[in-house]
Amino acid sequence: MFYGETFTDELFRQATQHHDAGELGRAETLCRQILQQDPQHPEALHLLGLLANQAGQNSLSLELIRASLQIRPNVPTVLSNYGEILRLSGETDQAIRVLRKAVSLAPEYASAFHNLGVALHDAKRHQESAEATFRAIQIDPNRTEARKLLVHLLVNARRFDEALEHAIVLSNQTPNDSEVFEALGLIYNEKQRFVEAKTVIRRALTLAPRSSWCWNEFGALCLRSLRTEDAAAAFLKAIECNPKFVRPYNNYGGILKDVGRVDEAIVYFRKALELEPSLHVVRSNMLLSMHYSTTLTPEEIFLEHQTWERSYREAKSSQSNNDQRDREATAIPSLVPPKREPEALVDFRHEPEALADNGLNKSVTSAGESASASGS
């Protein structure tokens, strides 16, 4: 026991040490001992609430932390944790109110701003989420999860220059995080910097060789440079990694269509539509292929045209209803980007995992770049 400490102070210090060491059962025992002696001990109530949350007992967690706040209502750390647990419990609006109070009491508290940014994102208040998240990384530039959220928000708002600034910083902070390199690849692709996109997607594949999304993007980039066989193999690899991912079925079908293997292309287009019937672009690709098939009847093609027309009308109607809401959700104001970090990310000279057999006839050496084979 340190000089000036009470017995409960000593017990609480030990409880926090056990909690930090992952010894949750021992920490809980000590908290309960403290509360037997002092039922109004706010720190013990708070820590016991955190332990309940870690045990998956969110209702009990909220009850305990609420009791702590009734005794000491203006402790930013407790408010921040309370707000996050409210969010996890689905009480998003209340979480936002609590977290706004936390950041008003502690304007330099990065964790509270980060929690607020996440809660606002859950509420689809993307502009406010970006502002709170940006503030979190202003205070603590090493808060990588907050920066990831900001990149996500900026990409969705199509603010690719700012997203790139933050993604480059992330790639230096977390050089073994495949998701960061996936985001970089997407951003470079949107900016039409295809060589850099391919480089970072390769890096992502070395970190996550079973990423269906990365294999699909790698295939689209190969196709752009007319490396048709590599593209086909990458799309097949994407399907192997995740048979429920729609895009590679469409993209591989597009390659088959372009090399004259129309009936096989239709099989892949149909599979994409089984997974996602509302993709009228895929249905349009399939209809085009059907007109060159020697096995389908005019009646079958006509019925498919009717299906396409119906799905297209429904999609356009839904889109018109959502357009204004989507524009409001992504209207993020300009954010001051961080200082650019050096772009020497990592050594990318190694190739990704060997491509599987692409299933194409070796006489096929090139194909036109079609809209159906885009990675988007």
Side-chain angles (χ1 to χ4, degrees), residues 71-288:
I71 301 163
R72 289 186 184 171
N74 294 320
V75 182
T77 54
V78 180
L79 287 165
S80 180
N81 289 332
Y82 185 50
E84 173 62 6
I85 296 168
L86 282 168
R87 182 189 73 82
L88 293 170
S89 302
E91 300 181 45
T92 308
D93 291 340
Q94 188 179 351
I96 291 169
R97 289 192 292 272
V98 169
L99 290 163
R100 286 204 185 281
K101 181 177 180 180
V103 300
S104 69
L105 291 168
E108 299 298 316
Y109 189 17
S111 182
F113 276 103
H114 183 192
N115 288 345
L116 177 59
V118 174
L120 288 163
H121 176 265
D122 286 359
K124 301 188 185 304
R125 293 161 62 175
H126 296 151
Q127 173 177 328
E128 296 168 87
S129 175
E131 291 169 349
T133 307
F134 183 64
R135 180 60 185 146
I137 62 174
Q138 277 186 315
I139 299 166
D140 180 6
N142 293 319
R143 187 167 286 274
T144 57
E145 291 304 314
R147 200 180 294 273
K148 282 183 184 180
L149 174 57
L150 184 58
V151 169
H152 167 77
L153 288 162
L154 291 170
V155 167
N156 282 353
R158 304 191 68 78
R159 304 187 67 89
F160 296 117
D161 289 340
E162 292 166 276
L164 180 60
E165 295 281 354
H166 289 283
I168 288 171
V169 174
L170 273 173
S171 68
N172 286 281
Q173 291 176 327
T174 57
N176 295 316
D177 189 334
S178 63
E179 291 182 357
V180 171
F181 291 94
E182 288 181 12
L184 262 176
L186 184 153
I187 294 165
Y188 279 131
N189 193 49
E190 290 288 348
K191 290 174 66 64
Q192 299 187 9
R193 291 167 61 174
F194 301 118
V195 173
E196 291 142 302
K198 195 170 184 180
T199 297
V200 295
I201 290 296
R202 280 177 173 158
R203 174 58 177 163
L205 282 169
T206 64
L207 296 168
R210 300 289 298 172
S211 170
S212 181
W213 185 90
C214 282
W215 280 115
N216 183 68
E217 291 299 303
F218 186 73
L221 289 164
C222 287
L223 196 60
R224 182 173 290 279
S225 57
L226 303 183
R227 291 174 54 186
T228 309
E229 293 184 3
D230 285 346
F235 294 141
L236 288 174
K237 185 70 174 179
I239 293 168
E240 175 198 327
C241 293
N242 181 5
K244 294 185 178 181
F245 186 29
V246 174
R247 293 180 187 178
Y249 288 100
N250 179 57
N251 292 342
Y252 186 59
I255 290 178
L256 292 171
K257 171 179 65 67
D258 288 346
V259 300
R261 293 165 59 176
V262 174
D263 290 327
E264 293 172 79
I266 292 169
V267 170
Y268 280 87
F269 291 139
R270 285 197 187 281
K271 181 60 179 178
L273 290 169
E274 287 173 13
L275 295 168
E276 185 50 73
S278 65
L279 291 176
H280 57 271
V281 172
V282 179
R283 196 173 298 277
S284 178
N285 290 337
M286 184 175 72
L287 278 171
L288 177 61

